[in-house]
Amino acid sequence: MAKLKQQARPPGSSKSSQKLLMPYSYFIIISVVGALAAYAYFHWPSKDSTLIKFLPPIQLAEQPKKTIWGSFRSQNYFGLRTKTPKGMLFGMAWYSQPSMMSMPNMRHVCDQGDGLNHYAWTKADGRSFGQQIVNDSSGLILNTDWISHEDTFTARISGLQKNPKQRTAVILYLLKQDPQATLSINKKLNDRHVKRLFNGQSDEFGSYYVDLSISAHGVYSSTLGGASVDITNIRDYFLRHTTADETSDGLIYQLNQQDVVENPVIAAIQLNLPEKFDLTISFNSQNHTALTEKSFLEALNARVTSFEEKIEEAFKLKNKGYTNNELHLGQLALSNMLGSIGYFYGHNKVQLPGSDKVQAYGTHSLVTAVPSRPFFPRGFLWDEGFHNMLIRKFDQELSLEILVSWLNTMNVNGWIPREMILGEEAESRVPAEFVIQRSNVANPPSWFYVIWKMIEDKEFSVKHKKVFEQIYPKVSRWYNWLRQSQKGDQKNTFRWRGRNATIETELNPKTLSSGLDDYPRASHPSTQERHLDLRCWLAIASRVMVELANLFGSEAEKKRYDEYLKHDSDFEDLVEKHWSHEAKAFVDYGLHSYDVELKRVPLKKKGKQPEEWIWKRVSEKPQLRMVDDVFGYNSLYPLIARLIPPNSEYMEHTLNRIRDEKELWTNFGLRSLSKQSPYYGQKNTEHDPPYWRGYIWINLNYLTLSALNHYSGVPGRLQERTQQIFTELRQNIVRNMAEELQRTGYIWENYDDKTGRGRGTHPFTGWSSLVLMIMSDQLDG
Ligand SMILES: *[C@@H]1O[C@H](CO)[C@@H](O)[C@H](O)[C@H]1NC(C)=O
Ligand SMILES: *[C@@H]1O[C@H](CO)[C@@H](O)[C@H](O)[C@H]1NC(C)=O
Ligand SMILES: *[C@@H]1O[C@H](CO)[C@@H](O)[C@H](O)[C@H]1NC(C)=O
């Protein structure tokens, strides 16, 4: 940190000028000017302005309609909204009426702590409908289905409680974010037929109203309408307004009827329901009536049917011999990915390197898929590239909308934040230490892979020529920023920024920017470091830049990208910079010690009694060398980027180590780090468990399979072996993920390399959903 600050110091305060002797008054003037300059450097907006300056946004040929409802509140079990910044929010919370005087266990925002048996969008197209099943540990099975129709929606919530005596409380609410809009609650809800719940007026919908029809007996209801609510804690708001009331059925918890104001910000109704119930909620706008009853069912069924046909068309799974469990896995993976697509609005918090000043970055509107609804309900740059490798196959127009949405968040320098934490609702889900994004930190440009595929699809790229013409200059900036900002100290070498060179408590200082977080790199971060994966990512990106420049660039640009590509894919140079002759593997290079360990050491501080202990890293003196006691995902990047000549000894060594059970091979997929590495399964600090140090991750398995698939088609002495490894690896991953879904009800963040068991965050239908691409025979498509 101190070092970075020094580099950033304005020229006026450099050491040489201080050496001059000068009269006192000059000294004062110069000091004042210097101080002002320093102040300006750190605080003057103009100095920082490139950080928060943006190019004109890319325009899609057809702007997606903003008033279309969707399950764009990724973090909610069931929440609908439109893609407008101040749009109306619809949501639902529920709980089982507690049997004793204890607080209700209310479910609202996806939370692993709720311990649900299972929940997922089992069918969803990310556009017009969704079907979700929620298997609550209380014995309640909920189905939440919805469709949009013009600017209306209809949702059907069905419940079945195992225990007939158990009553279920369901809260439905509408929250207006636009202060100009009006909202009111109908408090008379005493007949059993269609009821008007809410109505009001808004710019988006004109005069709108929400109706409910209930099929259930003996329903109690109560309402709540508050003048203000903390959008990040709606659940808490409901709980604070819940009281226990004595009824003829005993004690019931419900929203307190007294608390209804005129024109509330949030309007809610609670229904206390018997063991079986069906609720249909319809949102009607001034110009359109929502579909209900028969027309709702017809529309829903039609969309389900066309969804299933579209899946088959895109992935062709029939007649491939998959089991029902495996087919279920594939469909669930895609559906929950699409059903989790969110719309976020707000600004990031960012910092220039070397500055303490946090700036608002944006405002931005972002349409993005998310890695995991309970744990990571927001956009992540490199994850999103992986997500769209899958989404593109199903709905390329949707991928284009998402790509454009991301590219429009890029600043003029070509930087895109690694994590998109937009708006209060999103920020409330992120630990404070991760909120601030730094403008020197990159993330793998996995999107280039998707862009490549999009422009290879001639029909698509011709249709969207105008959009790609706008994409090209933005992507060029991104690429050039990456190349410049992450360059290494030698030609054609690259280094991820953001590693902490002074930290003493981490076994191996993390490289969050690489996406592989704690994957071991050179033990002592230095400017001489070379990161293999980054160089390979640039080779992949250069390939795409060449194609883009051929279509949209000038002669000079074409020449430049050709030149870059030549350098990045120069295999001899790659061998020179990254091949360890001793280990026979591609690896990083840097200041590295072979002998590193975390030790509990006394922390001696003068006058401090008793003595404290801390976990601290101790090591043998590091040397500049190949980081060749580490073999794992990073070493596969030359294969992934298809830089290794087919049938070469390099290929053979790489295949050998992939297929070796003492290294990367398991019956469940490739582990992230060789069992032979001293870092295998090691904690990074006293409290940080291993993450990319053995467990099986689906995204890197996917990239590897895709490359193996490619090399399988190249005749030669290694062809058959490559095919074999490809086939076995594919089977292992699919079989294990299907078994784990069956056993646990979830798709997981990663899988244990010893047992195959799902672990980490769940449900995780971000890049783990690439399993569907793996199942289809078009890994390269
Ligand atoms: C709900 O989950 C439980 C526990 O995993 C399981 O036994 C039950 O079959 C599930 N019910 C449904 C309808 O999926
Ligand atoms: C309703 O339709 C009319 C006529 O087409 C249009 O002028 C108006 O803007 C629409 N209202 C809303 C809220 O979309
Ligand atoms: C690096 O780690 C040290 C020790 O934990 C910490 O004080 C410092 O703020 C860190 N630097 C950066 C840039 O995060």
Side-chain angles (χ1 to χ4, degrees):
M1 199 64 192
K3 207 167 162 198
L4 283 169
K5 262 192 183 157
Q6 234 158 24
Q7 282 169 353
R9 193 171 286 164
S13 60
S14 77
K15 270 204 185 110
S16 55
S17 66
Q18 282 165 17
K19 272 195 204 151
L20 295 171
L21 286 172
M22 48 196 150
Y24 189 61
S25 57
Y26 277 40
F27 179 74
I28 288 180
I29 291 167
I30 287 176
S31 307
V32 169
V33 170
L36 282 174
Y39 178 84
Y41 189 84
F42 288 112
H43 300 275
W44 210 260
S46 65
K47 261 294 181 192
D48 298 343
S49 65
T50 57
L51 175 66
I52 49 169
K53 208 160 146 192
F54 303 94
L55 297 168
I58 302 169
Q59 302 290 340
L60 288 167
E62 255 177 78
Q63 284 301 318
K65 266 206 206 137
K66 295 215 154 104
T67 50
I68 301 292
W69 290 86
S71 53
F72 307 129
R73 299 177 73 198
S74 315
Q75 63 272 49
N76 289 72
Y77 285 117
F78 186 43
L80 302 172
R81 67 169 298 165
T82 60
K83 292 177 189 167
T84 36
K86 286 195 183 296
M88 202 82 72
L89 307 180
F90 168 77
M92 168 196 182
W94 78 91
Y95 57 88
S96 294
Q97 285 287 350
S99 49
M100 283 179 296
M101 287 289 282
S102 59
M103 276 316 269
N105 244 327
M106 192 184 289
R107 328 296 203 184
H108 175 245
V109 165
C110 302
D111 184 346
Q112 276 176 209
D114 290 340
L116 303 195
N117 293 329
H118 170 80
Y119 63 98
W121 294 103
T122 51
K123 295 185 174 68
D125 65 356
R127 286 183 181 274
S128 71
F129 87 101
Q131 284 193 305
Q132 178 175 234
I133 180 162
V134 178
N135 183 334
D136 194 331
S137 42
S138 67
L140 176 72
I141 305 291
L142 276 174
N143 285 283
T144 67
D145 301 347
W146 66 271
I147 64 167
S148 62
H149 163 66
E150 302 287 349
D151 55 356
T152 74
F153 75 78
T154 310
R156 191 187 53 190
I157 299 167
S158 321
L160 183 62
Q161 168 58 249
K162 209 164 61 188
N163 173 2
K165 292 227 178 66
Q166 178 67 59
R167 293 184 78 84
T168 303
V170 170
I171 297 174
L172 307 169
Y173 67 87
L174 207 58
L175 193 160
K176 70 180 172 78
Q177 301 191 90
D178 178 4
Q180 305 303 319
T182 64
L183 173 58
S184 66
I185 307 177
N186 182 356
K187 286 213 274 181
K188 290 207 183 64
L189 291 163
N190 38 19
D191 76 273
R192 277 196 34 240
H193 302 292
V194 176
K195 302 157 208 269
R196 175 91 6 124
L197 288 185
F198 315 124
N199 63 283
Q201 182 82 33
S202 83
D203 279 352
E204 286 177 283
F205 304 109
S207 70
Y208 67 87
Y209 57 93
V210 178
D211 283 352
L212 167 72
S213 84
I214 307 174
S215 87
H217 295 278
V219 177
Y220 293 83
S221 69
S222 59
T223 50
L224 172 68
S228 72
V229 61
D230 174 3
I231 192 172
T232 67
N233 210 342
I234 294 170
R235 177 182 182 273
D236 186 56
Y237 171 78
F238 288 147
L239 285 174
R240 273 188 286 116
H241 291 270
T242 295
T243 50
D245 299 329
E246 199 62 55
T247 70
S248 52
D249 281 359
L251 201 63
I252 275 191
Y253 281 88
Q254 56 187 356
L255 294 176
N256 192 334
Q257 305 264 25
Q258 314 307 317
D259 302 327
V260 178
V261 300
E262 278 292 308
N263 190 19
V265 164
I266 184 169
I269 175 170
Q270 172 171 344
L271 304 163
N272 290 298
L273 298 154
E275 82 260 30
K276 188 171 184 315
F277 58 87
D278 259 305
L279 313 173
T280 305
I281 302 111
S282 62
F283 180 99
N284 304 267
S285 69
Q286 178 159 334
N287 288 350
H288 296 100
T289 308
L291 303 181
T292 51
E293 299 176 23
K294 226 177 117 214
S295 52
F296 164 71
L297 282 178
E298 275 168 11
L300 180 64
N301 289 339
R303 290 176 203 190
V304 167
T305 306
S306 82
F307 170 73
E308 289 181 335
E309 284 167 5
K310 210 169 156 189
I311 286 197
E312 183 53 27
E313 194 186 313
F315 300 103
K316 306 199 170 43
L317 296 188
K318 270 193 197 132
N319 310 321
K320 282 206 166 70
Y322 287 117
T323 65
N324 282 342
N325 280 346
E326 288 165 349
L327 292 173
H328 174 61
L329 168 72
Q331 183 159 327
L332 188 84
L334 177 68
S335 301
N336 205 52
M337 159 98 65
L338 292 168
S340 310
I341 288 174
Y343 170 83
F344 303 91
Y345 178 81
H347 53 75
N348 274 303
K349 292 182 175 163
V350 300
Q351 242 175 26
L352 284 174
S355 158
D356 294 332
K357 203 173 103 185
V358 175
Q359 300 195 47
Y361 185 87
T363 319
H364 293 294
S365 284
L366 184 71
V367 180
T368 183
V370 304
S372 162
R373 287 162 67 196
F375 226 76
F376 304 112
R378 56 187 176 277
F380 288 79
L381 182 56
W382 92 302
D383 294 66
E384 202 51 25
F386 285 103
H387 298 164
N388 282 278
M389 292 175 197
L390 177 64
I391 296 173
R392 192 192 69 81
K393 288 293 290 179
F394 179 78
D395 186 342
Q396 194 152 233
E397 303 277 342
L398 183 54
S399 269
L400 186 64
E401 182 190 340
I402 294 174
L403 170 65
V404 164
S405 174
W406 270 91
L407 289 177
N408 285 344
T409 69
M410 187 180 84
N411 73 6
V412 289
N413 303 330
W415 176 71
I416 302 173
R418 194 168 64 83
E419 260 187 68
M420 280 291 178
I421 306 159
L422 303 173
E424 286 174 71
E425 213 176 354
E427 196 174 314
S428 70
R429 305 297 300 271
V430 186
E433 59 185 306
F434 296 118
V435 168
I436 291 166
Q437 302 289 300
R438 290 189 174 76
S439 65
N440 63 335
V441 170
N443 214 202
S446 48
W447 266 111
F448 280 78
Y449 191 92
V450 180
I451 298 167
W452 179 15
K453 295 293 163 194
M454 282 179 172
I455 52 174
E456 262 188 1
D457 181 341
K458 286 285 167 288
E459 197 183 321
F460 186 76
S461 55
V462 167
K463 178 178 172 200
H464 292 286
K465 187 157 177 286
K466 285 226 160 64
V467 181
F468 282 104
E469 277 168 8
Q470 301 169 69
I471 286 177
Y472 172 65
K474 289 222 180 187
V475 167
S476 306
R477 269 179 209 243
W478 184 8
Y479 172 88
N480 288 313
W481 174 81
L482 203 58
R483 216 173 167 92
Q484 281 307 310
S485 69
Q486 315 289 302
K487 70 175 177 221
D489 73 335
Q490 281 186 37
K491 192 167 174 230
N492 237 9
T493 64
F494 298 94
R495 174 168 63 86
W496 295 112
R497 301 303 196 264
R499 295 191 77 199
N500 190 332
T502 57
I503 198 154
E504 289 188 315
T505 50
E506 295 187 2
L507 180 64
N508 189 283
K510 283 193 296 295
T511 318
L512 293 174
S513 43
S514 74
L516 305 175
D517 298 17
D518 69 343
Y519 184 94
R521 308 281 179 163
S523 60
H524 293 67
S526 71
T527 54
Q528 288 111 313
E529 230 174 315
R530 302 172 199 156
H531 291 133
L532 173 63
D533 50 344
L534 182 51
R535 172 167 172 159
C536 295
W537 276 119
L538 276 154
I540 293 170
S542 298
R543 212 172 281 156
V544 182
M545 290 317 298
V546 166
E547 295 207 25
L548 282 172
N550 275 333
L551 292 170
F552 309 110
S554 64
E555 282 306 315
E557 286 166 340
K558 271 191 229 175
K559 245 180 89 186
R560 190 151 58 94
Y561 293 127
D562 274 337
E563 195 70 9
Y564 283 147
L565 177 59
K566 215 173 80 203
H567 288 308
D568 294 347
S569 49
D570 179 344
F571 189 67
E572 253 172 58
D573 180 70
L574 185 71
V575 168
E576 187 192 316
K577 306 265 171 54
H578 287 286
W579 179 257
S580 161
H581 291 279
E582 288 69 37
K584 306 229 176 305
F586 287 106
V587 292
D588 283 351
Y589 173 90
L591 199 53
H592 187 60
S593 166
Y594 286 141
D595 194 359
V596 177
E597 101 187 273
L598 273 185
K599 263 205 171 138
R600 203 164 163 259
V601 297
L603 182 71
K604 291 202 187 90
K605 275 195 196 152
K606 260 193 191 155
K608 265 235 167 136
Q609 289 296 331
E611 217 168 46
E612 285 178 71
W613 291 78
I614 56 158
W615 286 89
K616 201 174 153 188
R617 199 260 295 266
V618 291
S619 74
E620 293 265 285
K621 200 169 178 313
Q623 287 176 25
L624 278 173
R625 54 161 70 115
M626 293 289 170
V627 185
D628 55 7
D629 56 346
V630 174
F631 182 85
Y633 286 166
N634 187 30
S635 308
L636 303 183
Y637 268 94
L639 174 89
I640 288 167
R642 299 163 200 194
L643 297 173
I644 309 183
N647 304 306
S648 63
E649 57 170 310
Y650 302 97
M651 188 70 187
E652 190 168 10
H653 288 303
T654 306
L655 289 178
N656 285 345
R657 298 187 73 165
I658 284 179
R659 188 58 189 82
D660 187 345
E661 278 166 33
K662 294 193 296 299
E663 303 248 22
L664 301 193
W665 192 260
T666 81
N667 288 335
F668 322 107
L670 299 182
R671 60 166 69 86
S672 38
L673 189 62
S674 165
K675 270 174 121 172
Q676 306 302 312
S677 167
Y679 293 92
Y680 170 75
Q682 295 296 309
K683 285 182 180 179
N684 202 36
T685 69
E686 184 187 357
H687 303 292
D688 290 346
Y691 202 39
W692 292 82
R693 294 185 179 174
Y695 302 135
I696 298 161
W697 294 77
I698 303 308
N699 60 335
L700 266 293
N701 273 278
Y702 168 74
L703 291 182
T704 308
L705 274 167
S706 178
L708 290 172
N709 188 44
H710 163 80
Y711 283 101
S712 289
V714 185
R717 66 186 181 102
L718 295 174
Q719 186 178 20
E720 204 178 316
R721 180 119 203 274
T722 310
Q723 282 168 356
Q724 240 169 33
I725 294 177
F726 168 76
T727 308
E728 274 184 73
L729 179 56
R730 185 174 66 167
Q731 275 168 3
N732 286 344
I733 292 167
V734 173
R735 182 185 8 92
N736 184 60
M737 284 184 72
E739 277 172 19
E740 280 301 284
L741 174 60
Q742 175 71 9
R743 187 180 70 83
T744 65
Y746 289 110
I747 294 175
W748 295 75
E749 183 178 15
N750 51 48
Y751 292 84
D752 190 285
D753 59 308
K754 294 195 193 80
T755 61
R757 296 206 154 194
R759 46 172 321 292
T761 303
H762 60 280
F764 189 101
T765 46
W767 59 42
S768 296
S769 294
L770 286 168
V771 68
L772 176 55
M773 290 290 276
I774 295 175
M775 289 170 73
S776 83
D777 262 341
Q778 319 157 67
L779 266 162
D780 203 21

